[in-house]
Amino acid sequence: MQLSLLSAAAVLAPEVSALLRFSCSQLVTERLDPLVDPGKAPSQHVHQIVGGNAFKPEMTGDVPSQASCTTCEFADDFSNYWTAVLYFRARNGTFKRVPQMPNQGFEAADGGITIYYTPSYNGQKVTAFQPGFRMIVGNPTYRTREQASRYRQLTYTCLDQPGTRTGETVEMPNRPCNYGIMANIRFPTCWDGKTLDPPDHSSHVAYPESGTFESGGPCPASHPVKIPQLFYEVIWDTRQFNDRSIWPEDGSQPFVWSYGDKTGYGNHGDYVFGWKGDALQVAMDTDCYITCPQLRRQSFQTGNQCKVPRVINEDIDGWLTELPGGIPVTGSPTKREEAWEA
Ligand SMILES: *[C@@H]1O[C@H](CO)[C@@H](O)[C@H](O)[C@H]1NC(C)=O
């Protein structure tokens, strides 16, 4: 297990000194979005949420003090992390939710998201997120490669094997992926230093002015504070849908996001910071690598038991005649498969 963790991280981050990598199991899956649609139940599209059980339709006040458990391996992380969920569209037009599975090394987890916090690649100190900090990366309305290029590192990996980490694409993979599809969501790494959560949930963060986070590029003057790189890996278990005879006759791929996107360009992720005290800053300031003994841990079994009851009464798992919320599917199928470059 340790070997596979290390090799996965080595491919990802050849020069990094410190790195947090951990699993957060599923907390609840339903149409809620306390960032974009606070208080609205249901919100527009289905999300899969992981993390602390303070998650609810409207989130205000101090997150860790409102939570009593978390689905994450680090017991002091009551943050919430969420993404859209994937559906398979059959030839007869009905939809079935694609199951979700844990990453290599995290097999005991109840699905969920693999979370990374990477401080910096050149040993520079970073400022951990502050209480009240929230952000969104990506835009669910995007359906073209040009739009998607506004964000640098929202990609897909077609998993031929559990450990495949090459050939990232900006569009949904256009061929069957033996072991499933991994969605990769990397957030910007520069902060304006003062705004916790602007109305658009994203203008307070920015990408490096030149180069990349990985190359140690400097932050722009407007967003001078280096923050850790937050990164989600989410694996969708497409194996029961990989037979080409059930794929669309036009040769396009059959998967659509819960927000109606068949291109993949609307890939997005949401974050509500909720680490207790200064636990995250302590981890970022040390050279802890992946397991970070400085942080309090809990077993997968304990994390798997933390759940939030669903509040929206609707079927999201049967063969559905439409996506939950009646969201139409949009975007032209793409035949391109271009490798992502940093
Ligand atoms: C549509 O296709 C799926 C997959 O083949 C099948 O399970 C389902 O029963 C079909 N639904 C209808 C209404 O024909």
Side-chain angles (χ1 to χ4, degrees):
M1 169 177 152
Q2 193 64 7
L3 258 186
S4 66
L5 289 181
L6 291 173
S7 58
V11 168
L12 174 89
E15 309 101 7
V16 74
S17 56
L19 176 71
L20 277 189
R21 177 184 190 261
F22 58 99
S23 157
C24 298
S25 300
Q26 296 174 3
L27 179 75
V28 62
T29 301
E30 65 179 340
R31 273 203 292 147
L32 287 182
D33 190 342
L35 282 193
V36 174
D37 285 324
K40 251 182 98 181
S43 67
Q44 286 171 12
H45 57 261
V46 180
H47 284 129
Q48 166 175 266
I49 301 105
V50 306
N53 69 341
F55 180 84
K56 52 182 181 294
E58 181 153 27
M59 296 180 72
T60 53
D62 183 53
V63 172
S65 62
Q66 295 173 43
S68 57
C69 67
T70 174
T71 69
C72 300
E73 284 183 274
F74 290 122
D76 286 329
D77 183 10
F78 299 100
S79 305
N80 287 117
Y81 311 87
W82 68 88
T83 70
V85 305
L86 203 59
Y87 280 87
F88 166 78
R89 184 162 61 165
R91 286 187 173 184
N92 64 19
T94 62
F95 299 89
K96 180 85 176 159
R97 186 154 77 96
V98 178
Q100 209 262 302
M101 64 178 158
N103 220 325
Q104 250 190 330
F106 298 144
E107 286 78 8
D110 178 14
I113 304 182
T114 303
I115 307 285
Y116 296 74
Y117 288 86
T118 307
S120 79
Y121 282 72
N122 52 12
Q124 278 183 0
K125 292 279 182 225
V126 292
T127 303
F129 308 103
Q130 309 294 305
F133 184 92
R134 299 155 172 214
M135 66 177 162
I136 295 179
V137 68
N139 186 325
T141 68
Y142 286 0
R143 295 292 181 274
T144 68
R145 192 180 174 92
E146 193 189 356
Q147 289 173 321
S149 68
R150 212 189 129 205
Y151 297 100
R152 294 185 183 172
Q153 299 164 308
L154 305 177
T155 64
Y156 302 90
T157 307
C158 187
L159 298 178
D160 292 311
Q161 301 153 29
T164 304
R165 290 297 181 273
T166 53
E168 288 177 55
T169 58
V170 181
E171 42 281 313
M172 204 89 85
N174 64 1
R175 63 179 175 90
C177 303
N178 257 340
Y179 189 75
I181 296 172
M182 185 162 75
N184 308 297
I185 298 170
R186 300 174 184 85
F187 288 78
T189 53
C190 302
W191 177 42
D192 72 7
K194 43 184 192 283
T195 314
L196 295 172
D197 183 25
D200 66 2
H201 313 290
S202 57
S203 53
H204 57 334
V205 292
Y207 294 102
E209 188 172 44
S210 58
T212 62
F213 171 73
E214 289 76 8
S215 72
C219 285
S222 56
H223 297 76
V225 179
K226 285 202 178 200
I227 49 178
Q229 186 188 59
L230 181 62
F231 171 25
Y232 305 169
E233 288 176 339
V234 196
I235 301 180
W236 300 97
D237 183 359
T238 58
R239 289 175 293 186
Q240 63 181 291
F241 307 111
N242 278 348
D243 183 347
R244 287 238 196 215
S245 70
I246 60 170
W247 280 36
E249 272 106 343
D250 68 2
S252 63
Q253 65 84 33
F255 300 104
V256 300
W257 283 114
S258 52
Y259 51 92
D261 174 15
K262 66 182 290 180
T263 64
Y265 295 127
N267 199 1
H268 64 284
D270 295 54
Y271 176 56
V272 171
F273 171 84
W275 284 79
K276 206 168 166 183
D278 62 354
L280 180 61
Q281 186 69 58
V282 167
M284 294 293 98
D285 288 344
T286 59
D287 275 352
C288 73
Y289 191 69
I290 298 191
T291 53
C292 285
Q294 293 88 341
L295 297 176
R296 232 160 44 85
R297 297 181 74 84
Q298 64 180 12
S299 67
F300 284 109
Q301 287 82 342
T302 303
N304 289 348
Q305 279 161 21
C306 184
K307 297 288 173 204
V308 163
R310 287 183 57 190
V311 297
I312 313 298
N313 180 20
E314 69 181 350
D315 185 11
I316 59 172
D317 285 324
W319 283 99
L320 307 174
T321 53
E322 57 178 13
L323 291 171
I327 298 198
V329 175
T330 54
S332 324
T334 173
K335 296 272 159 51
R336 285 192 305 180
E337 183 154 319
E338 297 178 42
W340 164 72
E341 308 278 349

